[in-house]
Amino acid sequence: MFRFCAWVALLVALPPLPAFAQEQQDAGNPSAIDPIPPQVPVEAFTARSEFGSAKLSPRGTRFGFIHRSGGQTSVVLVDAGTREPVHAIRVDEDYGLRWFSWAGEDRVLLSIETKQWFFGLPLPITQLLVFDIATQETSSIGFDYQGPEGDDVLYIDPYGRYIVLSVSEDWKSDPDVWRFPLDGSGAAGAVKIESRKKGIEEWFADSSGVVRLGVGWTMGKSAIVYYRSGPEDRFKRVAKIKQHDEANDYWNVLGIFEGRDTGYAIVQDPSGRQVLREFDYSTGEPGRLIHAQPGWDVDAVNLDGKQVLGITYTDDASRTVWFDEDMKRIQRELEQALPQSRIEIISRAGLERMLVLEHGPSDPGAIYVYDARARTLDLFANLRPQIDHTQMAVPHGVTYTARDGQSIRAYLTLPKGREPRGLPLVILPHGGPYGIRDTLRFEDWSQLLANRGYAVLQPNYRGSGGYGEAFETLGDGQIGRAMQDDLDDAMDWAVAEGIADPARVCLVGASYGGYAALWGVIRNPERYRCAASFAGVTDYDAQFKYSGKSLERRYRREWKHRLRGTGEGEIDLKEVSPAHQVARLVRPVLLAHGKKDSRVPFSQFEDMATAARDAGKEIELLELDDNHHLTKEENASEWLETLVEFLARHNPAD
């Protein structure tokens, strides 16, 4: 499954990057039209390493990042001092790499995803492995027979000796908690440290690895919480919370700390925004307010042991607010060293060494290594070495009003060198759909399409995350309905502004965005000339049946509620599923899918293709030997080449 070798000379020293274009928050008319840039090859948008995944080891001696090339996925390990590659942990193409993490300085954990047939359905399962740098050997963590979630790590020993893992013995059982050694002995050396308890589906450990909290869900959709203050105490039931009770937020565990009952929780305040508060696990009572970001949700917390260093939030882009004075100073110095750019500290080993991402909305950016002792900031790699960011379009944030009066934020990318009047438009809805959103950042597909002469509009339709719970829940039961209206209203805005030609609009998307593209062109053929979908859902009943089997009970119930709505508003998903409504299709469609997709199964593609054939509808089909994320560069390139050619035929830019 895996093979290991020293990394060859793939990474080279790169010249310093030129300054990035100043970010603009809202659309405006440029004072002058730039010349039309040359066409950038499709491969420039697909040939890259995921340096953004880079993580420093605990003491900062090494860092790793995910690299994908030629269908091969690897976790590359680099000496942080010399920046010389040390090893590459190569993952077989039949397995999807979900994440990696350091276990001490000399071991790396990897979570992979594969499929297992269950009652005739290929369902995703996760497995955990450990790679030992000294021996260059890998070993499995877990049992030969276990439940579908094999990577629920509760604690990693900072010295890399063991992990604490929650795992079920089969698909139906509640999980036990085990301590697994990382010395290669695998299951033979595992010790059960907490036996399953009826109804507890999820366990949490504290900062020293002691299991302190368990949560289960009743048939009546209530959460039952069990807690103990220390390893010598017994678990006690401390809370019972109904599914939609606001108290649920407090039990989204951010951290349980050795020697105390108080931790932190991101919860909703009376205004509907997410804020950071203290929380007492032993009583279920909230404590003092730590931070509320005016106008925006708190997304995440930066912790160092028991100390809160800062928080992140997202307006049009991700931002960090540091409370720690040292981190404030370092952030300020980095921004002075790399002006006119967004600066994100993506990984750190204390205050001594950090990995820094410099980027902009029209620039994919670069990774730097910051060494506090040496007072150096060294360029490590460009994220898209084949792209000249000065030739890319600068996306802008815009706001429009939906037909029911709801304000919707979107991002508009105008083709460089063309007057922004009467342009061909591509509406590019994001995936998810719930809790996910687009931001003002470099985005490959929108930049490629803009480079080919299209205006691109990315609406954060209702149901998207980041705008408060009230906005997100507006999407409940609105798939194919109000969520689709928001896309139509985005088109109307662009036409009313004079930006888009109403006769030259197409929909393009992936995953949920692929669904929205298909459904939009079926539902409103008078609006759209064509649609292109990659990995789109075509039958929501079948998708719910597929995904529901691998979801925990509470998530399965929640997703059902979100998809179908409740009460009088409950929807028959067949009425908004393209595979069931394809007889209405009168516009050109490009349908693409990966055969190894474990998120939206390939059967969704097959069902749509069969339904179209039976209805006498001709659609363009593209099958790719890949997964939901198109990890093979050649497949990503084939999809984008096919997409560009499809749009050129059915909605030419010039």
Side-chain angles (χ1 to χ4, degrees), residues 12-24:
V12 296
L14 298 169
L17 298 178
F20 295 122
Q22 180 66 39
E23 174 184 333
Q24 293 175 269

Side-chain angles (χ1 to χ4, degrees), residues 577-629:
S577 289
H580 290 280
Q581 302 296 326
V582 70
R584 299 163 54 183
L585 180 67
V586 295
R587 296 295 190 189
V589 161
L590 169 61
L591 187 71
H593 215 107
K595 295 179 181 179
K596 298 176 182 178
D597 195 332
S598 60
R599 184 72 56 85
V600 178
F602 187 63
S603 58
Q604 291 278 322
F605 171 92
E606 295 175 310
D607 290 348
M608 182 68 180
T610 299
R613 185 189 64 228
D614 292 347
K617 304 295 180 178
E618 185 175 346
I619 59 178
E620 188 170 338
L621 303 175
L622 177 63
E623 301 179 15
L624 297 166
D625 186 29
D626 215 323
N627 58 31
H628 192 70
H629 305 288

Side-chain angles (χ1 to χ4, degrees), residues 445 534 594 624 626-633 635-636 639:
W445 292 12
F534 174 75
L624 297 166
D626 215 323
N627 58 31
H628 192 70
H629 305 288
L630 280 180
T631 55
K632 297 180 182 179
E633 291 174 16
N635 288 331
W639 152 247

Side-chain angles (χ1 to χ4, degrees), residues 451-525:
N451 182 253
R452 296 304 191 265
Y454 297 94
V456 182
L457 191 56
Q458 298 169 266
N460 281 327
Y461 47 81
R462 68 194 65 207
S464 300
Y467 299 98
E469 184 181 29
F471 185 81
E472 189 171 333
T473 57
L474 284 176
D476 289 358
Q478 295 302 319
I479 281 179
R481 299 196 289 183
M483 293 166 75
Q484 200 74 31
D485 292 342
D486 291 345
L487 305 184
D488 294 346
D489 295 342
M491 171 191 166
D492 290 344
W493 172 86
V495 170
E497 291 290 313
I499 296 167
D501 180 345
R504 295 197 292 167
V505 184
C506 287
L507 287 158
V508 176
S511 198
Y512 175 83
Y515 158 78
L518 293 173
W519 179 235
V521 82
I522 291 173
R523 189 180 85 147
N524 295 110

Side-chain angles (χ1 to χ4, degrees), residues 33-52:
I33 302 298
D34 293 325
I36 294 176
Q39 286 196 358
V40 178
V42 164
E43 291 75 14
F45 296 95
T46 60
R48 61 192 184 276
S49 290
E50 297 184 12
F51 294 107

